[in-house]
C-alpha cells in the first residue's frame, strides 16, 4: 500500500486535548482562543474525543532552557562562519543583535549548556506523560494577531544599547543583569506555543482553520 492509498482508509477516533493556556503565562487574545475552540468543535463533529486540558509547565525553566541553547547555537554558528571565512569571531559580519546573542553564547559555560539540555529532557518526558492520555494536543499557533514584519525589531534605544554592549564587551554583565531573560520572556509571550514542540522534538503542524475580522 502507498501513502496515497492510506488517505482512503477511515480514520480512527483520536483522543485530543486542547488548551489556550500560554506556556509562559502571558495573555492570549480572544481570536486565538476562538480559533482553538472552533477547531475543537470541528474535530468533535468528525467523531474524535476532544477535551480541555491543563498544562503543568514551568515557564521560567522553559524560557531559560530555550534561551541558553539558542545563545549557544548562535555562538557556534558564528564560529563556523568565522572558520569558513578565515576570520576571527569578532570580524564576522552579522547584525548587532545577532552578535550580542553570539557573545552571550560564548559567555555561557559548557555546564550551563548541559544543564539546559537536562531541562529539555525533562520537558520531553513531561510531553510523554501528556501523550499517554492524548494522541494529539491542540493549541493556538501564536497568542496574538499575526505579527507585522519589523514589529519585533529593536527600538532606537535598544539598538543603541546593543551597540554599547558589543563595543564594550559587556555581555557577561548583560547576562547577569536579568535583562536578557526579560527580553526573551517578552518575545515568547507572542509565540509561547511552538517552543515546547521545538524543545521536545514533537511532530507539529500549523493548520489555517480560522480567520480574524482583520
Amino acid at each position: 500500500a502507498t501513502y496515497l492509498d492510506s488517505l482512503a482508509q477511515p480514520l480512527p477516533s483520536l483522543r485530543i486535548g486542547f488548551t489556550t493556556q500560554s506556556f509562559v503565562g502571558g495573555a492570549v487574545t480572544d481570536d486565538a482562543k476562538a480559533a482553538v475552540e472552533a477547531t475543537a468543535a470541528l474535530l468533535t463533529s468528525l467523531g474524535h474525543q476532544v477535551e480541555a486540558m491543563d498544562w503543568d509547565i514551568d515557564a521560567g525553566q522553559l524560557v531559560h532552557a530555550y534561551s541558553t541553547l539558542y545563545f549557544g547555537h548562535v555562538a557556534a554558528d558564528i564560529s563556523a562562519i568565522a572558520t569558513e571565512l578565515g576570520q576571527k569571531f569578532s570580524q564576522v559580519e552579522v547584525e548587532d543583535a545577532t552578535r550580542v546573542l553570539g557573545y552571550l553564547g560564548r559567555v555561557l559555560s559548557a555546564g550551563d549548556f548541559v544543564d539546559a539540555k537536562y531541562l529539555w529532557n525533562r520537558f520531553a518526558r513531561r510531553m510523554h506523560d501528556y501523550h499517554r492520555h492524548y494522541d494529539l494536543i491542540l493549541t493556538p499557533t501564536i497568542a496574538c494577531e499575526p505579527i507585522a514584519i519589523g514589529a519585533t525589531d529593536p527600538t532606537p534605544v535598544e539598538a543603541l544599547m546593543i551597540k554599547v554592549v558589543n563595543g564594550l564587551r559587556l555581555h557577561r554583565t548583560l547576562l547577569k543583569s536579568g535583562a536578557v531573560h526579560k527580553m526573551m520572556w517578552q518575545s515568547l509571550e507572542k509565540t509561547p506555543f511552538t517552543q515546547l514542540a521545538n524543545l521536545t522534538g514533537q511532530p507539529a503542524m500549523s493548520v489555517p482553520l480560522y480567520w480574524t475580522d482583520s
Side-chain angles (χ1 to χ4, degrees), residues 163-171:
K163 285 186 179 295
V164 171
V165 168
N166 282 333
L168 299 179
R169 297 289 193 270
L170 298 176
H171 305 94

Side-chain angles (χ1 to χ4, degrees), residues 10-32:
L11 291 175
S13 177
L14 299 175
R15 297 170 302 169
I16 301 172
F18 74 91
T19 181
T20 58
Q21 176 186 342
S22 168
F23 298 158
V24 298
V28 178
T29 65
D30 290 340
D31 273 321

Side-chain angles (χ1 to χ4, degrees), residues 160-197:
L160 178 60
M161 183 188 75
I162 288 170
K163 285 186 179 295
V164 171
V165 168
N166 282 333
L168 299 179
R169 297 289 193 270
L170 298 176
H171 305 94
R172 191 179 300 277
T173 302
L174 179 64
L175 194 61
K176 289 182 177 180
S177 72
V180 174
H181 185 80
K182 181 179 179 181
M183 287 188 291
M184 291 297 294
W185 195 286
Q186 290 173 339
S187 175
L188 290 178
E189 280 185 336
K190 296 183 177 63
T191 57
F193 299 103
T194 55
Q195 266 43 340
L196 192 58

